[in-house]
Amino acid sequence: MSFIIELKIPDIGNVADVEVAEVLVQPGDVVEVEQTILVLETDKATMDLPSTAAGTIQEIKVKVGDQVSEGSVVATLSSAEDQATAPVEEEEKKEAQEQETKPAESVPEPPKEEPIKEVPAKIEPAPEVATSTAGKAHATPAVRLFARELGVDISKIQKGSGRKGRILKEDVKNFVKKVMSEGAVSGAGTGIPALPAVDFSKFGEIDEQPLNKIKRLTGKNLISVWLNLPMVTQHDEADITEMEAFRKTLNAEQKDKGVKITPLVFIIKALLAAMRDYPQFNTSLSADGEKLIYKKYFNIGIAVDTPNGLVVPVIKNADQKSIIELAKEMGELSEKARQGKLMPADMQGGCMTISSLGGIGGTAFTPIVNAPEVAILGVTRASMKPVWNGQEFIPRLMLPLDLTYDHRVIDGADGVRFVVTITRYLGDIRRLLL
Ligand code: CAO
């Protein structure tokens, strides 16, 4: 024989019109005694409403946002007599008899052989639940328990996806997934304390946008490089007055052929020449850090700014290409990058990278090495400067260069020698022929 049991709101301390914040079950669900079926919310706290009986949910009589008070029937449940807990058996029997003579309002009339029991739930207030603005997690005890079981510090989940930012089980699961997949980003496993989460909505209106895949991957990679490589940046300036005059002539000649020659191709040429002079810049450390691998090929990566983030296509065998060929390939690769059409092979095999911000501006910056490469050359905007020639100041076009290198592989003296060598090649491009 089975019984239909009405689950009602018990005495909740003279609080009327409490809002239903979550409905955790639906008709047909089999529930256990003490399983939370609803979450109620007042201005100050949330409360779990546990089922007082085991059985199958027949009907849910409330929805999220409804107001309930003591005595409100929230659900009906069919239960085998021996499954139901009967904390107040005598009272239940009496109530069941009353139900037989006086059917409950808004409860569909049960089959005759199923006497109705009204079992007021023992409501569990969640005193420690507070709003996220108070710095504490906004979650039900069931979710807190779930988080504890997974070893998650729930206060690290700043905002949940439930109503009013409530943290749901799903948020806890997503948090665990994020920590597992982005361990490097949070500093997990490095012994470095994670940055504290901040609820920016406390200070004003915000708009939360997920990072795209390129940004997420770049971020992970940058953190890993930042934490693994001892990096030093060396700054210098190249006098490119003559180089620019030649570039302008060349550009005018090439205009009809649709090739645009920017300072970058000359910088690639000068970098290649310096790499030949200093082979330790065309190396990578082996994974165990015990060996230095010298490369006999010269592939140059170029950082390209795209609407989706930074990508680094690689010009393969750049040493075997002319200025015009490099300019053409640079144009094609940056176009492909901006259209999101680069293939993984287009971005692999780089020996050293150039990050040129010269088309935008800047006077200096400290680029991050594109590991496992051992150095990166940063370039910012050339400008006219007064330069002392031994007798007088003369106006010269000076190009700022920023060389960041992995100090495990490159000594400071070689770092400065290398960048000075690049300035020499750029200062007199005839030297590139030697
Ligand atoms: N000084 C002065 N002018 C420069 C210059 C420099 N160092 N570098 C380029 N210019 C000029 C070019 O001659 C061109 O002038 P015109 O339009 O009059 O011909 C203009 O600036 C624009 O150049 P560009 O940026 O389109 O072309 P580029 O070959 O110099 O650079 C590319 C190509 C793909 C590298 C660049 O477009 C880009 O994306 N740069 C951003 C890279 C980046 O985000 N790096 C940061 C990574 S974090 O480490």
Side-chain angles (χ1 to χ4, degrees):
M1 179 163 169
S2 64
F3 291 86
I4 293 290
I5 296 171
E6 285 184 336
L7 297 176
K8 287 183 167 186
I9 301 290
D11 175 8
I12 44 179
N14 285 333
V15 184
D17 297 332
V18 179
E19 193 173 308
V20 176
E22 273 177 72
V23 179
L24 303 175
V25 288
Q26 54 188 9
D29 282 359
V30 176
V31 296
E32 304 288 333
V33 182
E34 295 294 324
Q35 180 177 333
T36 303
I37 55 165
L38 286 189
V39 179
L40 306 176
E41 186 171 72
T42 68
D43 287 347
K44 297 189 179 61
T46 54
M47 293 163 264
D48 280 5
L49 180 75
S51 175
T52 49
T56 306
I57 297 288
Q58 295 296 300
E59 196 182 354
I60 303 290
K61 293 181 170 291
V62 288
K63 58 183 186 317
V64 171
D66 282 358
Q67 308 278 323
V68 292
S69 307
E70 184 182 344
S72 305
V73 178
V74 293
T76 57
L77 170 138
S78 78
S79 173
E81 193 177 21
D82 56 356
Q83 277 183 326
T85 56
V88 279
E89 241 173 70
E90 281 310 308
E91 200 181 317
E92 282 170 16
K93 274 187 198 156
K94 202 173 114 220
E95 282 168 353
Q97 280 159 12
E98 276 172 15
Q99 281 303 321
E100 275 173 20
T101 53
K102 185 175 96 160
E105 273 174 33
S106 75
V107 178
E109 209 171 291
K112 285 250 160 26
E113 68 280 11
E114 293 187 345
I116 288 181
K117 290 180 177 186
E118 283 180 14
V119 183
K122 283 183 290 169
I123 206 148
E124 294 292 342
E128 80 270 48
V129 171
T131 60
S132 54
T133 51
K136 286 186 181 177
H138 189 35
T140 64
V143 173
R144 283 168 183 283
L145 178 68
F146 180 63
R148 269 200 303 277
E149 281 170 359
L150 295 179
V152 171
D153 175 357
I154 202 163
S155 68
K156 296 248 158 66
I157 308 173
Q158 194 62 27
K159 203 167 184 187
S161 53
R163 274 171 53 79
K164 296 183 185 169
R166 180 196 311 286
I167 295 163
L168 308 179
K169 266 190 183 181
E170 212 48 42
D171 299 316
V172 178
K173 285 185 202 165
N174 287 338
F175 179 80
V176 172
K177 270 190 218 158
K178 190 164 165 261
V179 169
M180 296 300 285
S181 66
E182 296 178 11
V185 173
S186 66
T190 61
I192 296 169
L195 292 171
V198 176
D199 178 7
F200 298 102
S201 63
K202 280 195 302 190
F203 309 110
E205 197 184 341
I206 58 165
D207 177 20
E208 216 170 73
Q209 299 282 345
L211 286 182
N212 66 31
K213 200 170 171 198
I214 291 182
K215 285 237 156 72
R216 287 203 310 271
L217 290 175
T218 309
K220 267 168 89 168
N221 194 39
L222 288 173
I223 297 254
S224 152
V225 174
W226 189 269
L227 294 173
N228 281 295
L229 267 63
M231 289 183 279
V232 177
T233 304
Q234 178 69 54
H235 307 281
D236 208 338
E237 282 180 324
D239 182 339
I240 58 164
T241 317
E242 264 89 48
M243 185 207 93
E244 267 299 274
F246 176 61
R247 183 184 74 86
K248 282 188 179 139
T249 312
L250 204 58
N251 230 351
E253 288 168 17
Q254 294 296 320
K255 215 170 151 191
D256 297 343
K257 298 184 187 140
V259 182
K260 185 174 167 185
I261 299 164
T262 65
L264 187 55
V265 278
F266 289 92
I267 298 166
I268 295 173
K269 279 280 178 195
L271 175 66
L272 288 163
M275 285 166 78
R276 259 194 317 266
D277 295 346
Y278 294 91
Q280 67 270 42
F281 282 83
N282 193 7
T283 60
S284 284
L285 271 174
S286 60
D288 59 7
E290 300 281 317
K291 285 178 286 230
L292 196 56
I293 300 155
Y294 285 79
K295 297 163 199 170
K296 306 286 183 192
Y297 53 87
F298 293 83
N299 297 341
I300 302 296
I302 306 289
V304 177
D305 174 39
T306 79
N308 291 325
L310 186 70
V311 288
V312 185
V314 173
I315 301 178
K316 307 274 163 52
N317 301 314
D319 58 321
Q320 296 164 26
K321 293 175 182 166
S322 69
I323 291 269
I324 310 290
E325 285 169 333
L326 288 173
K328 268 192 198 156
E329 191 166 337
M330 196 48 250
E332 285 159 13
L333 281 175
S334 53
E335 193 50 35
K336 232 171 143 183
R338 286 179 178 133
Q339 288 175 1
K341 289 188 179 154
L342 286 176
M343 303 305 284
D346 293 328
M347 295 180 276
Q348 288 166 358
C351 300
M352 196 165 157
T353 296
I354 298 178
S355 178
S356 174
L357 298 172
I360 306 167
T363 53
F365 73 119
T366 52
I368 296 177
V369 172
N370 189 14
E373 297 165 17
V374 295
I376 183 168
L377 182 66
V379 183
T380 50
R381 196 164 190 81
S383 63
M384 292 303 287
K385 287 190 177 175
V387 176
W388 185 249
N389 69 358
Q391 280 135 13
E392 56 182 342
F393 282 104
I394 47 168
R396 304 295 292 176
L397 185 63
M398 303 304 288
L399 176 75
L401 299 172
D402 314 289
L403 175 81
T404 301
Y405 54 87
D406 181 344
H407 210 346
R408 294 172 303 171
V409 176
I410 312 289
D411 294 335
D414 281 344
V416 76
R417 276 185 199 114
F418 187 76
V419 80
V420 165
T421 302
I422 296 174
T423 64
R424 284 212 185 111
Y425 281 121
L426 289 172
D428 185 352
I429 52 169
R430 292 172 304 175
R431 291 180 182 278
L432 291 170
L433 299 171
L434 299 175

